[in-house]
Amino acid sequence: QVQLVESGGGLVQAGGSLRLSCAASVSAFSSYNMGWFRQAPGKERESVARIQWSGGSAYYADSVKGRFTISRDNAKNTVYLQMNSLKPEDTAVYYCNAEYRYNGLLQYWGQGTQVTVSS
């Protein structure tokens, strides 16, 4: 079992920056691929960024590429999402996700953190 706790959300003006953190309570953090998803009101949850278990590769949605950076610190059991040049369309609840690398059906989610970007 994995427990995920997000933090770092808030209200920011367009063009500003935020850094989200996700702390994982797990004995083998490197056994999990990690990612960030977001969901805006009336829209489906979408993948924003993913990072491999080792941190060796990463994926970004086209809408955030060049502005967001995902990273992980396996020694601290923490994954981060650095968000720069924020836009109003980035407004959403952001969720941390863990995927067991040996069985993708094992998925875990945090409670989410609200990010609001004003015009």
Side-chain angles (χ1 to χ4, degrees):
Q1 293 292 310
V2 178
Q3 185 180 58
L4 306 173
V5 180
E6 302 99 332
S7 62
L11 175 64
V12 64
Q13 292 184 336
S17 298
L18 286 172
R19 188 182 73 164
L20 306 183
S21 298
C22 174
S25 297
V26 61
S27 61
F29 185 59
S30 62
S31 294
Y32 296 86
N33 302 316
M34 302 297 296
W36 289 94
F37 290 70
R38 68 186 182 187
Q39 187 168 22
K43 296 184 178 180
E44 296 183 350
R45 186 174 297 189
E46 63 175 344
S47 176
V48 176
R50 302 194 304 272
I51 189 166
Q52 195 213 9
W53 63 272
S54 66
S57 62
Y59 158 86
Y60 299 94
D62 288 342
S63 59
V64 307
K65 194 172 298 182
R67 300 187 296 120
F68 291 10
T69 302
I70 188 170
S71 62
R72 67 190 294 165
D73 187 338
N74 286 355
K76 297 182 178 179
N77 287 11
T78 303
V79 62
Y80 305 94
L81 186 68
Q82 179 67 46
M83 305 185 294
N84 298 327
S85 301
L86 283 162
K87 304 175 181 179
E89 49 263 46
D90 295 319
T91 295
V93 177
Y94 284 71
Y95 297 91
C96 183
N97 169 262
E99 176 192 83
Y100 191 52
R101 69 192 246 219
Y102 304 110
N103 185 352
L105 295 178
L106 298 179
Q107 299 270 343
Y108 304 91
W109 297 90
Q111 295 299 307
T113 184
Q114 177 71 49
V115 172
T116 303
V117 184
S118 62
S119 301

